[in-house]
Amino acid sequence: MKQAIEYLIEKEPIFKIIIEKYGLPIIPQRPHGFETLVQLILEQQVSIDSAKATFLKLKAKVNNFKPQLLLLLADEEYRNLGVSRQKTSYIKALSHSIINKEIDLESLSTKSSQQVRDELIKIKGIGNWTIDVYLMFSLQFPDIIPLGDIAVVNTIKELLDIHDKQEIEIYATKWSPYRSVATFLLWHHYLNIRNRKVEY
């Protein structure tokens, strides 16, 4: 990470200010595979803490956390655990894709970020935000910036006074090939300024 930090500080003074104020961010890792993707589906448009609580309830309900069993679980059971109808359909679509061998999650770690995106985007309910976070946290791709993430976009607006998403995307190209670390720094600022901590 040292090389990435040195590069980013040189390209963007705001990153130096973030590090001086809050220290270095912890770069979290999540296991790659089915469980993480289910958790990311639950995290869509809600807080990470809320999604984690729902995920733990779901895991307690389905001890053997396999696509076959999640596909068999009744929609009413999902609802009782706090999973919305929409997210239930997304989890079942993912399970269905794996069971029918439409996607092999294990093979994704051997593919390029674009190949991973092309495969995952075909599954109902898995959009670019979910894919970006999976690429960063699970597959450890170094050059991802999730512009579907409200915290990232709002922090860029706040710190750099850039408000158009296309302009943000163009501006962030100068952080390449370390846009993932840049994103972790932006999240680091976002959480610290709001006095919040996240446990994945």
Side-chain angles (χ1 to χ4, degrees):
M1 188 169 78
K2 186 170 179 279
Q3 185 179 346
I5 293 291
E6 285 172 357
Y7 178 88
L8 290 168
I9 284 172
E10 187 183 324
K11 294 284 181 180
E12 186 57 69
I14 204 73
F15 291 134
K16 187 178 182 186
I17 293 167
I18 292 170
I19 292 164
E20 284 174 350
K21 198 166 184 182
Y22 303 116
L24 290 171
I26 293 166
I27 308 292
Q29 260 188 294
R30 299 201 200 186
H32 66 83
F34 179 65
E35 284 195 24
T36 295
L37 280 168
V38 170
Q39 192 166 356
L40 288 175
I41 287 169
L42 294 173
E43 285 175 17
Q44 293 169 6
Q45 298 178 319
V46 300
S47 75
I48 287 169
D49 290 342
S50 167
K52 188 176 182 181
T54 305
F55 177 71
L56 291 174
K57 284 182 200 169
L58 188 56
K59 275 203 82 174
K61 180 75 181 174
V62 184
N63 290 321
N64 189 9
F65 207 80
K66 301 289 181 192
Q68 292 84 344
L69 295 177
L70 286 177
L71 200 56
L72 289 171
L73 195 65
D75 289 6
E76 188 181 351
E77 293 280 11
Y78 279 100
R79 193 162 57 251
N80 292 339
L81 295 167
V83 183
S84 70
R85 185 179 299 168
Q86 192 175 42
K87 288 183 181 178
T88 297
S89 73
Y90 296 167
I91 292 167
K92 291 196 170 187
L94 172 61
S95 302
H96 191 271
S97 296
I98 294 166
I99 290 164
N100 287 344
K101 299 192 179 346
E102 291 162 14
I103 191 164
D104 175 12
L105 296 183
E106 289 302 313
S107 72
L108 295 183
S109 59
T110 66
K111 296 180 177 175
S112 70
S113 60
Q114 190 57 53
Q115 286 173 320
V116 172
R117 191 177 303 278
D118 291 344
E119 289 200 35
L120 286 174
I121 204 79
K122 293 174 188 171
I123 301 168
K124 179 187 174 187
I126 295 187
N128 283 313
W129 177 85
T130 305
I131 295 166
D132 285 340
V133 175
Y134 190 73
L135 285 167
M136 289 173 66
F137 282 77
S138 298
L139 299 179
Q140 301 288 295
F141 276 88
D143 198 28
I144 306 294
I145 183 158
L147 293 181
D149 189 276
I150 292 167
V152 170
V153 172
N154 284 349
T155 303
I156 290 171
K157 287 177 181 178
E158 183 185 316
L159 295 178
L160 299 168
D161 199 26
I162 307 169
H163 295 269
D164 179 79
K165 199 171 272 192
Q166 194 172 3
E167 283 180 41
I168 290 172
E169 189 172 4
I170 292 163
Y171 185 87
T173 56
K174 73 175 187 174
W175 303 336
S176 186
Y178 299 114
R179 283 177 290 186
S180 296
V181 176
T183 300
F184 286 120
L185 283 163
L186 294 169
W187 275 328
H188 192 46
H189 172 86
Y190 180 88
L191 291 169
N192 274 287
I193 207 165
R194 287 160 180 82
N195 201 26
R196 282 176 54 198
K197 286 188 177 178
V198 169
E199 286 186 24
Y200 297 99

